Amino acid sequence: MSEILKLSDIKPGEYAKVLKTGGEGALRQHLLDMGLTPGAALQVIKYAPMGDPLELRIHGYELTLRLSEAACIDVERSDAETASTRTGIYTDIEHPGLGEYGKTHDKSTEDPLPKTSRITFALAGNQNSGKTTLFNALTGSNQHVGNFPGVTVDRKDGVIQGHPETRITDLPGIYSLSPYTREEVVSRSFILDEKPSGIINILDATSIERGLYLTMQLMELNVPIVLALNMMDELRGNGGSVNINRMEALLGIPVVPISASRGDGLQELVDHALHVAKYQERPLRRDFCSEDENGGAVHRAIHGIIHLIEDHAKAAGIPARFAATKLIEGDEMLADQLDLTKNERETVEHIILQMEEERGLDRSAAIADMRFSFIQNLVAESVIHPRESKERERSRRIDKILTGKYTAIPSFILIMAAVFWLTFNVIGAWLQDLLDGGITALGDWVAAAMEHSGASPMLQSLVTEGIFAGVGSVLSFIPIIVILFFFLSLLEDSGYMARIAFVTDKLLRKIGLSGRSIVPMLIGFGCSVPAIMAARTMPSERDRKLTILLTPFMSCTAKLPIYGFLTAAFIPAYAGLVMVSLYLLGILVAVLFAALLKRSAFRGEAVPFVMELPNYRLPGAKNVGRLLWDKAKDFLQRAFTVIFVASLVIWFLQHFDTGLNMVDDPETSILAVVAGTIAPVFKPLGFGSWKFSTALITGFMAKESVVATLTVLFGEGAAIASALTLPAAFSLLVFCLLYTPCVAAIAAVKRELGAKWAAGLVLEQCAIAWIVALAVKVLFELLL
Ligand code: GDP
Ligand code: MG
């Protein structure tokens, strides 16, 4: 017997076997769900550049773990994983036909859906298993995005192409059905409450063990289910093979090998899914415990509890098998739903205690172990693992640099710099000039045409100064915005974001955040709305709130037109430098603010950091294309609704006085009077004219509107340059960077955190913006 060590004592490259998983509650369940069960063999791969967290390999996939969490796991050193040496290919024996008796489904309970009813599917799987790719491939463009009822977790619905009677709902990416994250709760209540006719469960065939852990829990829900083995191209390309028929027989559900990104096997998947759903063919097997295994303690406990709670489970509409295993795992939420009597609760507790004693493992570990040993047996019988795949090897080589001890942080900085440089200088700039030229030409042409046809001067002014100046001034930013989104999505889908989280975790913890917070923040450079929603994946409420409060400080793309406009008018020579400084200032303010919050409202430790590091993969062109189109559409929509209307309203208010007479001098217009009342607030900042307060107010609707309004009110560059001193221009830039996020972002915060937080955020950001802008102005007045 070798000595008992902590996982945190294991050096990179060394192998170990888990003896005991410590910790408690959600953290512990999460560790177990991710496969850190007693007996599991693992290899420590490396430590993050700052010494924390560590990366390890277990069950054939890579995980990150903080040292503090690794310290709760007892291990012993072991020899190199005896990698399976089996090679060969399972020759493709004919796949069982649809609904073949007894092969993959339980036909005894067959109860076909009425012909006319809508067939609904839930699409479930791990993160990075290819869910989005499959969803897009199946639905084409028939998609609808919304929220799950009552909670704010993204919900995408679509219709399977060619089958208008279907609806498929993309569930969030999850690893288990424990009640510890919103994603898991949402997924499980969706299946239990909305009762989809079937589940399409997608898993990454290159880390099959990981995916099957979820599959087994989904099967316990006793809903017709089809398993889609994705990434088969990658598996086969590296000499791996799956005996599909054997796996089907062992699991008792149809298994279809697919490649979502290439579109292989999708037709077969749809056929099988429609079939099991139509005929309501439920999984043949829901029982994964064996009476011979480890004395059968777990088996007896599960079945004992099933019988005990059967009536309650039926009444609550929860499958008894699922209820029983969750009860054993200590799932309080489910215990409440079952509404057990005190006596029954105690009996359940006794059964569990007995099992713990006989099995020598505590409840959660015993269940996780039961699942993983079933998986191991299944995989041993039906899967030939690929040799060290090209993709993994490539990932490892890339990681040597991107997460290497000395190269990680410089690479990160370089990559981000390259992204911004390419976006603004190389690709974005000339596209923008091109578009700008086009819009100006069109504007001139329309102006000339109107002049020629003798349209009234008022109409001419409305069209040229109102519409073209307003909407046109922001429209030309569309290429830059789309390109920035392109790079951000590339970073995210390629798997690099997860590495950034791994590398920066220790740094972010110093300001009370976790590595995961960096993902929403980076997305925040694109737009705060998806960034705020991306914070949903954070496992702790505290971190989620903190991250949401900080993302609006990241300079979003809508603020770009403001920077572009003002730098062009004031210091064109240093435009780039000013822009970079603004981005950095946003980050700096966020860091200081976080440090402040950590010391006051947000005391406490950051959450566990157990995260999968997927292989690097190139995202599919179609997916990227769709995303970019969505972003462009979004922006265009805003340009022609909010900004269009705002430009018109501003034009109108500027040209009429309170008696609705047209004015010659804008100083007497309605706008001057109304906006003039709040203008004094900005006097100390150097931009006390009503024109600026108007622009800032319209910026509340959409940040691009600030520029639209300024152009309507001042005309192009020159006039504004004489209205502000240089320090005042800096102060205006800083104020625009930091002040309240736009309505859409505030609405997102309200959805996520409630009205109080949203209102607080607006006030807090305005106050911070005011103070920092003043400081900047004073500083520059001293310097210049
Ligand atoms: P999600 O996180 O589950 O939504 O996964 P995505 O759909 O974003 O896919 C993750 C990555 O895997 C993307 O880079 C995809 O391009 C890639 N991918 C998806 N399906 C396949 C496949 O069948 N084969 C290969 N080689 N890559 C795939
Ligand atoms: Mg996805």
Side-chain angles (χ1 to χ4, degrees):
M1 183 79 192
S2 59
E3 59 177 324
I4 298 176
L5 298 165
K6 296 291 178 192
L7 177 53
S8 46
D9 298 328
I10 305 295
K11 307 225 157 22
E14 287 182 345
Y15 294 85
K17 208 169 100 185
V18 178
L19 295 174
K20 193 167 137 246
T21 310
E24 53 187 41
L27 165 64
R28 179 155 193 277
Q29 186 65 48
H30 196 49
L31 294 175
L32 292 168
D33 286 342
M34 296 303 276
L36 287 155
T37 52
L42 60 88
Q43 183 191 15
V44 172
I45 305 281
K46 67 159 55 158
Y47 287 78
M50 281 173 263
D52 191 14
L54 61 84
E55 176 186 353
L56 60 91
R57 186 177 166 80
I58 189 164
H59 297 296
Y61 46 85
E62 265 103 37
L63 285 185
T64 68
L65 200 64
R66 283 204 190 115
L67 293 190
S68 53
E69 287 139 24
C72 338
I73 297 176
D74 287 346
V75 296
E76 64 181 8
R77 281 213 178 77
S78 67
D79 297 329
E81 239 173 296
T82 42
S84 150
T85 47
R86 285 191 309 148
T87 51
I89 296 177
Y90 290 115
T91 42
D92 284 337
I93 320 156
E94 205 180 338
H95 199 246
L98 293 179
E100 213 168 293
Y101 180 75
K103 272 252 171 72
T104 54
H105 339 96
D106 183 359
K107 280 212 152 192
S108 57
T109 57
E110 185 181 281
D111 180 17
L113 291 177
K115 278 231 160 41
T116 50
S117 68
R118 181 178 272 275
I119 302 178
T120 52
F121 290 105
L123 176 61
N126 295 167
Q127 285 164 25
N128 298 306
S129 58
K131 244 158 25 70
T132 307
T133 313
L134 178 64
F135 184 77
N136 288 345
L138 289 181
T139 59
S141 51
N142 309 317
Q143 299 182 5
H144 170 80
V145 180
N147 268 326
F148 286 95
V151 269
T152 48
V153 170
D154 233 12
R155 167 175 174 168
K156 266 204 304 186
D157 289 331
V159 171
I160 298 180
Q161 277 176 320
H163 300 278
E165 78 283 11
T166 58
R167 195 189 65 210
I168 179 165
T169 302
D170 190 15
L171 297 181
I174 49 172
Y175 292 107
S176 171
L177 291 175
S178 318
Y180 293 121
T181 68
R182 293 146 68 88
E183 270 75 12
E184 288 173 343
V185 173
V186 162
S187 303
R188 134 173 161 179
S189 39
F190 177 82
I191 295 169
L192 289 176
D193 302 341
E194 300 206 14
K195 304 203 184 321
S197 349
I199 300 175
I200 298 178
N201 175 206
I202 179 169
L203 69 77
D204 176 352
T206 62
S207 56
I208 235 166
E209 289 88 346
R210 146 92 285 121
L212 283 173
Y213 188 81
L214 176 66
T215 305
M216 290 167 70
Q217 298 179 53
L218 290 172
M219 285 168 67
E220 284 181 343
L221 290 172
N222 199 24
V223 175
I225 182 171
V226 185
L227 183 62
L229 279 187
N230 193 26
M231 317 252 179
M232 283 304 284
D233 55 320
E234 212 175 292
L235 183 88
R236 288 190 181 126
N238 294 292
S241 183
V242 178
N243 186 336
I244 301 288
N245 291 347
R246 188 82 193 117
M247 188 180 275
E248 280 189 336
L250 290 171
L251 275 176
I253 57 173
V255 178
V256 184
I258 66 165
S259 167
S261 57
R262 298 182 181 196
D264 298 343
L266 297 190
Q267 190 54 51
E268 193 182 347
L269 177 66
V270 170
D271 289 345
H272 276 275
L274 283 174
H275 185 91
V276 294
K278 230 180 240 166
Y279 296 97
Q280 287 295 294
E281 296 178 346
R282 295 167 198 281
L284 190 59
R285 162 171 208 155
R286 292 176 287 276
D287 195 10
F288 306 106
C289 45
S290 148
E291 54 184 273
D292 313 321
E293 199 178 88
N294 300 307
V298 177
H299 166 79
R300 277 175 281 117
I302 293 178
H303 289 266
I305 293 177
I306 290 179
H307 292 305
L308 185 68
I309 60 161
E310 240 167 357
D311 51 339
H312 288 271
K314 201 166 211 162
I318 302 170
R321 163 85 197 188
F322 178 76
T325 45
K326 288 295 160 193
L327 272 184
I328 297 181
E329 281 181 330
D331 186 329
E332 286 298 328
M333 197 173 136
L334 201 115
D336 292 343
Q337 282 173 346
L338 284 178
D339 197 23
L340 299 179
T341 62
K342 185 160 168 288
N343 232 328
E344 286 164 323
R345 277 191 186 234
E346 279 169 9
T347 314
V348 167
E349 184 60 24
H350 282 300
I351 297 178
I352 299 175
L353 287 174
Q354 182 63 28
M355 175 208 72
E356 287 182 323
E357 197 178 311
E358 288 179 33
R359 179 67 186 83
L361 284 176
D362 69 285
R363 51 197 78 190
S364 317
I367 295 290
D369 177 77
M370 179 264 296
R371 294 206 184 105
F372 275 108
S373 50
F374 177 84
I375 291 173
Q376 255 154 17
N377 292 336
L378 178 129
V379 167
E381 277 195 49
S382 60
V383 179
I384 293 176
H385 280 291
R387 53 180 181 272
E388 182 75 327
S389 76
K390 285 195 294 288
E391 286 79 7
R392 183 150 284 149
E393 213 172 279
R394 187 181 64 196
S395 288
R396 190 158 303 159
R397 273 205 310 276
I398 299 177
D399 266 343
K400 270 219 173 89
I401 298 171
L402 294 188
T403 65
K405 197 165 167 62
Y406 302 104
T407 45
I409 302 280
S411 325
F412 173 54
I413 294 172
L414 258 168
I415 288 175
M416 291 316 291
V419 164
F420 283 100
W421 181 70
L422 286 173
T423 307
F424 294 118
N425 272 356
V426 183
I427 317 174
W430 71 265
L431 276 177
Q432 188 185 11
D433 286 347
L434 209 70
L435 204 63
D436 208 18
I439 294 170
T440 311
L442 185 66
D444 291 348
W445 183 81
V446 170
M450 283 201 306
E451 181 82 55
H452 190 72
S453 64
S456 80
M458 195 174 111
L459 186 64
Q460 286 187 31
S461 151
L462 174 69
V463 172
T464 53
E465 290 166 33
I467 300 173
F468 269 94
V471 177
S473 61
V474 299
L475 217 50
S476 61
F477 277 89
I478 223 176
I480 292 203
I481 289 168
V482 169
I483 288 167
L484 189 57
F485 271 112
F486 167 76
F487 283 119
L488 289 175
S489 76
L490 209 61
L491 293 186
E492 202 180 354
D493 290 350
S494 66
Y496 183 53
M497 285 276 195
R499 268 70 178 193
I500 301 180
F502 174 65
V503 168
T504 55
D505 182 58
K506 192 169 179 190
L507 210 60
L508 284 164
R509 273 171 78 194
K510 289 208 194 330
I511 55 168
L513 291 172
S514 95
R516 283 178 189 240
S517 327
I518 198 138
V519 178
M521 302 231 177
L522 289 179
I523 295 175
F525 286 123
C527 173
S528 302
V529 176
I532 288 163
M533 295 194 302
R536 286 170 184 168
T537 54
M538 318 247 339
S540 105
E541 277 302 293
R542 174 191 168 281
D543 284 23
R544 199 169 66 88
K545 279 192 183 131
L546 197 53
T547 309
I548 289 176
L549 293 184
L550 297 181
T551 36
F553 287 113
M554 303 301 122
S555 179
C556 74
T557 43
K559 293 174 191 164
L560 279 172
I562 309 181
Y563 307 158
F565 179 75
L566 288 176
T567 50
F570 287 91
I571 28 168
Y574 295 102
L577 181 67
V578 172
M579 247 184 234
V580 171
S581 316
L582 283 168
Y583 274 95
L584 293 180
L585 181 67
I587 298 172
L588 180 71
V589 172
V591 168
L592 293 178
F593 189 55
L596 184 82
L597 287 180
K598 188 192 171 198
R599 255 157 259 276
S600 51
F602 285 86
R603 264 176 233 278
E605 255 308 291
V607 276
F609 186 65
V610 192
M611 202 178 64
E612 201 181 354
L613 289 181
N615 281 350
Y616 288 102
R617 288 194 176 95
L618 264 188
K622 262 200 214 144
N623 269 335
V624 175
R626 151 144 318 128
L627 182 101
L628 298 189
W629 168 236
D630 283 349
K631 296 297 171 201
K633 207 169 62 181
D634 209 48
F635 184 81
L636 283 173
Q637 246 163 21
R638 248 178 329 147
F640 285 102
T641 52
V642 180
I643 299 172
F644 181 77
V645 172
S647 301
L648 284 187
V649 170
I650 296 294
W651 178 89
F652 175 80
L653 294 178
Q654 184 205 6
H655 282 82
F656 291 86
D657 68 12
T658 41
L660 291 187
N661 305 305
M662 203 158 172
V663 295
D664 296 324
D665 180 7
E667 297 295 327
T668 59
S669 66
I670 309 178
L671 194 58
V673 174
V674 175
T677 56
I678 66 153
V681 177
F682 302 112
K683 191 116 196 150
L685 305 183
F687 43 91
S689 146
W690 59 271
K691 293 187 178 179
F692 294 106
S693 28
T694 309
L696 292 173
I697 292 168
T698 56
F700 184 65
M701 297 295 140
K703 285 298 153 86
E704 306 93 320
S705 280
V706 171
V707 170
T709 309
L710 287 178
T711 338
V712 172
L713 295 179
F714 284 101
E716 296 295 330
I720 195 172
S722 57
L724 283 180
T725 62
L726 188 53
F730 283 131
S731 131
L732 179 59
L733 277 170
V734 169
F735 193 81
C736 288
L737 164 72
L738 300 175
Y739 88 121
T740 175
C742 69
V743 166
I746 296 168
V749 175
K750 178 169 167 276
R751 279 202 308 272
E752 299 292 317
L753 300 180
K756 258 197 216 144
W757 284 93
L761 180 81
V762 172
L763 292 180
E764 156 247 304
Q765 288 216 194
C766 287
I768 291 180
W770 197 89
I771 295 168
V772 180
L774 182 65
V776 165
K777 174 171 168 273
V778 171
L779 187 74
F780 276 97
E781 276 170 350
L782 291 178
L783 286 178
L784 297 175

